[in-house]
Amino acid sequence: MASGEGRVCVVTGGCGFLGSHLVRMLLERSADLSEIRVFDLHLDESLETLGSDKVRVRLIRGDISSLEDVRGALRGSHLVIHTASLVDVWGRVPAAKVTEVNVTGTENVLRACEEEGVRFLVYTSSMEVVGPNLYGDPFYRGNEDTEYRVCHNQAYPLSKAKAEKLVLEANGKKVRGGQTLYTCSLRPTGIYGEGHGLMKDFYYQSLRTGGRVFRAIAESVEHGRVYVGNVAWMHVLAARALQDRPDTLGGQVYFCYDSSPYKSYQDFNMEFLSSCGFRMVGSRPLVPYFLLYLLALLNALLQWVLHPVCVYAPLLNPYTLAVASTTFTVQTDKAERHFGYKPLYSWEECKRRTIDWVTTLDKEGKKH
C-alpha cells in the first residue's frame, strides 16, 4: 500500500468467512500498516493473537447499523475494507434486517468516512448484484461490461446492488479536511474455501443421506467459483492500488476470479467431498425440473404459513433453484490490467487447502 507511518486499516465484518481470511492476508502482505482494526458484532478473539510488534490487530465489537459504532471504529484510519454483510436468500432472517445491515450499514460507513476524513474504501460486493436472474438467462464468460437483464426479488441481491451503487456514487466526494474519498467495488462469484458455512451445510446434509449426493441440476450448468484466499489477495491489491492510482480504480467494479473450474454447484462441491468418500448419484438429474420447482414453491408456501410461529428456511426455494439452475461464469482480466492481480493460489493449491479443511469436518462428523 502507499508508504507512510502509522497507517490504520479497518476491516468491517473482519471475523466473518472472508473477513478473517482478509485480516490474515493483510498481516502477511501489507508491511506498512501499523494497525488492523477488526470491526464486527461477534468477535473472534484468536485474531487478536495474530498481531505483532509491527502490526497491531485490534478487535472492536460494534453494530454496522449503528452510525456511532462505525464512526468510532473508523476514527483515525486511512483505509476501510467493507466486507460486513448479511447473506441470506433462504428467509432465515427478516428482509428488513438484511437491508438494514447491507444498505444502512454501508450508508453508515460512507458517512463515517466523510466525517472522519477517511480517504479510501474498498467494498465487497457480490456477483448477485448482476445475477443469475430469475428468468434463467445465462451469463456465459461475461465481464464487467457485459449487458445482462438484472431481475431479483430477494432482499440480499437487492440490498447489495443498492449498497454498491452508493459506494460508487461516493467516489470523488469530499471528506473532512478537504480530502477526496476514493472507492471501488469487488464482486466475488461463489466463494469457497476453509470455513465456508454453506459448504459445511452441504457436507452435513450429504452425511445424513449416507454420503450420497443426489444429482438435482444438470452437469451442463456452470458457475464461476473463486477461492477465498484469492478473493482476500485481490482486496489487498485493490486497496494498495486505490491509494497509489486512485484515478484508475476510483469508481470501478471488478469481478473476483481465479483458475477454479466452471462446474455446477453440486459437481464443484464434489471436488472436495469425494475425498471423504461421498459420491454423486445419477449422471442426469434424478427429479424433473418442474417437480423441483413445485417443491420450491411448496417450501415458499410453507415458509409463509409457518412464519408467525417458527422460522422455516430450507435451502431450496424458487430463488435458490433459479440461481443453481442458471449458468453464470466470468471471464475477465480487468483486475489484472488495472492493478496487476493474478491468483495467489493455483487451483491445485485451492483444492488441497479446501480438502484439508473438509477432512476435519469428516473426522468431526464421524465422532457424532
Side-chain angles (χ1 to χ4, degrees):
M1 296 180 186
S3 61
E5 295 297 325
R7 290 187 174 273
V8 176
C9 173
V10 178
V11 180
T12 71
C15 294
F17 170 48
L18 172 60
S20 58
H21 282 269
L22 176 56
V23 169
R24 291 177 170 85
M25 186 68 69
L26 286 166
L27 285 166
E28 294 173 7
R29 303 277 173 166
S30 300
D32 69 316
L33 292 177
S34 64
E35 180 175 283
I36 300 171
R37 295 180 189 166
V38 180
F39 178 77
D40 212 315
L41 189 59
H42 305 288
L43 299 182
D44 179 355
E45 302 292 341
S46 67
L47 291 176
E48 201 164 32
T49 65
L50 300 177
S52 65
D53 293 337
K54 294 182 179 180
V55 186
R56 177 190 181 193
V57 177
R58 179 182 169 199
L59 302 186
I60 302 176
R61 188 186 307 277
D63 187 344
I64 198 72
S65 61
S66 164
L67 177 59
E68 183 178 354
D69 287 358
V70 175
R71 193 161 43 204
L74 268 59
R75 187 166 297 129
S77 65
H78 79 289
L79 164 69
V80 180
I81 304 180
H82 178 31
T83 76
S85 183
L86 184 52
V87 182
D88 179 57
V89 293
W90 307 280
R92 295 171 180 171
V93 296
K97 182 64 177 177
V98 176
T99 302
E100 180 185 28
V101 171
N102 296 347
V103 178
T104 305
T106 300
E107 290 173 337
N108 289 340
V109 170
L110 291 169
R111 184 172 172 185
C113 285
E114 179 184 354
E115 295 178 356
E116 299 299 330
V118 181
R119 295 193 59 205
F120 304 101
L121 169 62
V122 177
Y123 176 60
T124 307
S125 186
S126 168
M127 72 172 189
E128 290 189 49
V129 305
V130 178
N133 65 25
L134 293 176
Y135 298 112
D137 298 329
F139 189 86
Y140 184 79
R141 310 293 193 266
N143 60 38
E144 291 84 354
D145 298 318
T146 301
E147 293 187 5
Y148 187 73
R149 180 168 53 163
V150 176
C151 177
H152 300 308
N153 65 0
Q154 289 286 317
Y156 174 69
L158 289 170
S159 64
K160 293 296 287 186
K162 185 173 182 179
E164 182 185 80
K165 186 172 185 289
L166 291 171
V167 167
L168 298 178
E169 288 176 344
N171 182 69
K173 289 190 175 181
K174 296 298 181 182
V175 299
R176 194 188 69 176
Q179 302 279 9
T180 301
L181 174 64
Y182 294 100
T183 68
C184 68
S185 179
L186 305 189
R187 294 173 177 170
T189 52
I191 310 178
Y192 70 94
E194 309 95 288
H196 187 218
L198 197 56
M199 176 83 74
K200 190 182 294 187
D201 291 344
F202 192 83
Y203 168 83
Y204 285 113
Q205 184 183 58
S206 301
L207 197 64
R208 288 193 292 270
T209 57
R212 295 185 296 272
V213 177
F214 298 96
R215 183 177 293 282
I217 303 299
E219 193 174 1
S220 59
V221 175
E222 296 182 339
H223 293 105
R225 305 294 295 274
V226 60
Y227 177 62
V228 64
N230 286 326
V231 178
W233 175 230
M234 184 182 281
H235 278 70
V236 171
L237 288 178
R240 182 184 301 165
L242 184 64
Q243 296 169 79
D244 292 339
R245 299 187 303 282
D247 290 338
T248 299
L249 277 76
Q252 295 292 321
V253 297
Y254 302 92
F255 278 118
C256 298
Y257 55 90
D258 60 15
S259 56
S260 301
Y262 300 124
K263 294 191 173 188
S264 74
Y265 284 121
Q266 283 187 313
D267 286 296
F268 190 84
N269 288 342
M270 287 304 297
E271 291 282 343
F272 317 111
L273 296 182
S274 60
S275 65
C276 301
F278 289 22
R279 62 186 180 86
M280 180 78 77
V281 178
S283 57
R284 296 179 180 180
L286 299 179
V287 177
Y289 181 84
F290 79 90
L291 286 180
L292 279 179
Y293 186 69
L294 289 177
L295 179 58
L297 287 177
L298 177 60
N299 280 337
L301 176 62
L302 286 173
Q303 187 174 61
W304 179 75
V305 170
L306 296 174
H307 176 69
V309 293
C310 69
V311 175
Y312 176 68
L315 293 179
L316 180 66
N317 62 47
Y319 180 80
T320 59
L321 178 61
V323 169
S325 305
T326 303
T327 289
F328 196 98
T329 56
V330 170
Q331 190 168 62
T332 175
D333 64 350
K334 184 177 178 180
E336 181 177 1
R337 287 185 285 109
H338 281 207
F339 52 90
Y341 166 76
K342 291 185 179 180
L344 189 62
Y345 303 100
S346 67
W347 160 240
E348 291 72 22
E349 179 71 2
C350 299
K351 184 175 180 178
R352 183 190 64 78
R353 285 170 169 256
T354 306
I355 286 175
D356 287 347
W357 170 68
V358 170
T359 300
T360 66
L361 296 179
D362 192 48
K363 292 177 181 177
E364 186 66 25
K366 288 176 178 176
K367 287 181 182 178
H368 298 84

